[in-house]
Amino acid sequence: MTPVDQDIQDHFISQLDRRLDERTKSTCEGPVTKEELMAAVKHMHRNKSPGPDGLTMEFYQTFWAELADNMVELLNINHLNGAMNANHFYDYCIRKTTDCC
């Protein structure tokens, strides 16, 4: 992952003229909940894959009971480490599969 240039980021943010209100801001920060993740899965387009693995919305909905806890945990670990990136979930899954075979 490319490091963020804090000066460039600060300059960019200072140029924005719109800000989130505190209520909206609070919903964007903090750990991801299972309910939030399920809402995102339900709003995915049918027969479309959100990542490089080719798994579709139908896959996530079908296997939600098996996937939910691990997905939430992994996304929250990434969030706490400052690496919130959906591809980390796919990379983790691929690496885990490769390691055990």
Side-chain angles (χ1 to χ4, degrees):
M1 178 174 7
T2 306
V4 173
D5 183 318
Q6 194 64 44
D7 292 333
I8 292 174
Q9 179 179 330
D10 291 342
H11 174 73
F12 175 78
I13 290 172
S14 73
Q15 301 303 306
L16 297 175
D17 62 346
R18 293 178 52 187
R19 303 268 190 239
L20 296 176
D21 60 60
E22 288 304 314
R23 181 178 172 277
T24 305
K25 183 178 174 184
S26 70
T27 65
C28 296
E29 296 179 343
V32 174
T33 67
K34 194 184 295 189
E35 293 75 23
E36 290 170 327
L37 194 53
M38 184 59 196
V41 169
K42 284 183 177 181
H43 286 94
M44 289 169 47
H45 296 287
R46 293 191 174 281
N47 298 314
K48 299 287 184 180
S49 171
D53 60 8
L55 299 176
T56 63
M57 180 259 315
E58 290 84 0
F59 172 85
Y60 287 102
Q61 287 184 343
T62 300
F63 295 103
W64 181 250
E66 292 83 7
L67 295 172
D69 291 334
N70 290 330
M71 288 181 68
V72 169
E73 180 180 2
L74 185 61
L75 288 171
N76 285 325
I77 288 169
N78 281 336
H79 171 68
L80 290 173
N81 292 327
M84 190 62 142
N85 181 335
N87 286 330
H88 286 122
F89 179 73
Y90 303 107
D91 293 343
Y92 170 82
C93 291
I94 291 168
R95 213 175 305 115
K96 188 170 177 99
T97 301
T98 304
D99 289 347
C100 71
C101 298

